[in-house]
Every structure is written in structure tokens, then in C-alpha cells.
Amino acid sequence: MDWGRVNAWTTTLYTLIHSLRIAKAIEFGNMPSLPKSILEAGTWLEPEASYSSVLASEPFGRSAVKFRRNPNIHFEEVVRQVICMLVQDLVVIFDQMMDDILAARSETAGVFPQSKIEKLATHLDPKFEWAKQGCLELIAARNVLTHARGRWNKQSIAIISFVDPIPSVGDELIIGFPMLFRYRKAMRTFLNEVTP
């Protein structure tokens, strides 16, 4: 099992948490210097694109950018958006790793991640049921954040029918950084246990 992408995701998680803590501590520093930060970020990876993008001729960094919403005032919203992006990326990584395990087992499952979890869980020792359920929670959380504007819907609730009490349709989903660590633990445990 190649854990490289999970390890890179984890390093990104740590970096973002640390960066947000520092930015918050200095009240996001000299906010008018945002254009300079964006221009500098444009030099962090070379080339800008590894293919002949039609956008390559479009100017970069010449527009007058500024924080339209003060991140000091909207810090919680920034944190929620960062968590949402990390959850989405973690599910993509998890889904691809499950595809690899299914292929190694010469098995197939449906196209949705929850069907892959259910199929692979047939190889899971019952003492790791918590890991399976944690993975299903990750998938449900991603669905709510990505497709339901952060509100529980019937489809996502059905994925986590084992939770007690179960959320109601329309309830807001709130998850903080500690849940990212728990999702990652459930995912790693699940994948380790079902890998042939």
C-alpha cells in the first residue's frame, strides 16, 4: 500500500493548521501586501502548468486583489472552508486507494465510495467496525459539505444510520480539525485491515 498521498495530505494538514495559527496570531499581518504574496506564490512551482494551457497567455498578478472579507472577522468561515477542502481531498485519496485494493483482490464494487467501503468491509475483522463506520462518516460529511451546502440530507443521513442520535434533514454539519485527524485514523486503519 502506497501511503505517499496520505502522508502528503497529512503534511498539508499540519502546514495549514500551523499557518492559520500564525496568521491569526498576527491578525493576518499586513493585509494590503496580499498582491505581493500572490505574486510570490506564482513562483513556488515551476512550470506554472505542465501542459499547453489556453490560459497561459492570460495575465497573472496584475489585477488589484484585496481581501474582500476581512479574515480576522471571518476567521471561522475561513477555517470551515479549509476543512471542507481537506475533507474533499481526503475522500479522493481514500477512494483511489480503495480502487487499488479492490483491483488487488480482483473484486469490484459500485462507483460510490460507500459501496467500496461496504465491499471491502467483508474482509474486516469485526473489532474494526469503528473504522468502517468512521470511513462512512467521512464520506457522508464530504457529501454534505460538497453537495448539500453543509446541511444534512436524506442520502447522507442514510450513510450514517448507525449514529445515535441521527442528524435530522436540514441540520447544519459542523466539523473541526480534530475530526480530520479522526477520519484519517479510521481511513488508515480500515485500509490497513482490508489490504490483502
Side-chain angles (χ1 to χ4, degrees):
M1 177 68 51
D2 179 10
W3 290 100
R5 286 193 66 195
V6 176
N7 294 337
W9 180 91
T10 300
T11 299
T12 303
L13 170 67
Y14 296 168
T15 301
L16 287 169
I17 289 172
H18 190 61
S19 298
L20 284 170
R21 186 189 69 78
I22 291 170
K24 185 177 184 210
I26 62 169
E27 297 180 340
F28 284 81
N30 180 6
M31 288 194 291
S33 70
L34 177 63
K36 181 178 179 184
S37 296
I38 290 172
L39 284 172
E40 183 180 323
T43 67
W44 291 343
L45 288 176
E46 293 293 336
E48 290 179 10
S50 62
Y51 66 100
S52 298
S53 171
V54 298
L55 301 174
S57 63
E58 292 297 314
F60 170 75
R62 291 191 215 153
S63 59
V65 296
K66 64 179 183 176
F67 285 104
R68 288 188 173 89
R69 302 185 82 189
N70 185 327
N72 292 299
I73 297 169
H74 300 280
F75 186 74
E76 184 175 308
E77 182 181 325
V78 170
V79 169
R80 286 178 192 238
Q81 187 59 39
V82 167
I83 289 169
C84 180
M85 293 180 341
L86 287 164
V87 164
Q88 291 168 343
D89 194 40
L90 187 60
V91 170
V92 169
I93 294 167
F94 181 40
D95 192 47
Q96 290 173 345
M97 293 177 83
M98 286 191 294
D99 283 342
D100 293 345
I101 295 170
L102 286 165
R105 289 185 168 280
S106 299
E107 296 178 353
T108 59
V111 297
F112 296 113
Q114 59 266 33
S115 64
K116 296 173 189 179
I117 293 169
E118 295 296 345
K119 178 69 173 186
L120 289 171
T122 62
H123 306 287
L124 190 67
D125 186 311
K127 71 182 179 183
F128 295 108
E129 180 72 7
W130 66 268
K132 171 192 164 190
Q133 291 177 340
C135 291
L136 289 169
E137 286 185 28
L138 169 62
I139 301 306
R142 192 279 311 220
N143 291 351
V144 169
L145 294 172
T146 304
H147 303 299
R149 298 183 180 175
R151 301 278 174 185
W152 285 100
N153 57 27
K154 289 179 184 178
Q155 297 87 342
S156 296
I157 291 169
I159 295 171
I160 59 160
S161 59
F162 50 84
V163 172
D164 185 27
I166 199 148
S168 297
V169 171
D171 284 354
E172 182 181 15
L173 170 64
I174 300 172
I175 53 173
F177 279 108
M179 288 305 297
L180 293 178
F181 288 87
R182 292 175 180 126
Y183 292 146
R184 184 192 59 179
K185 179 180 179 180
M187 184 187 94
R188 287 186 77 108
T189 301
F190 181 82
L191 292 172
N192 277 325
E193 294 301 320
V194 300
T195 298

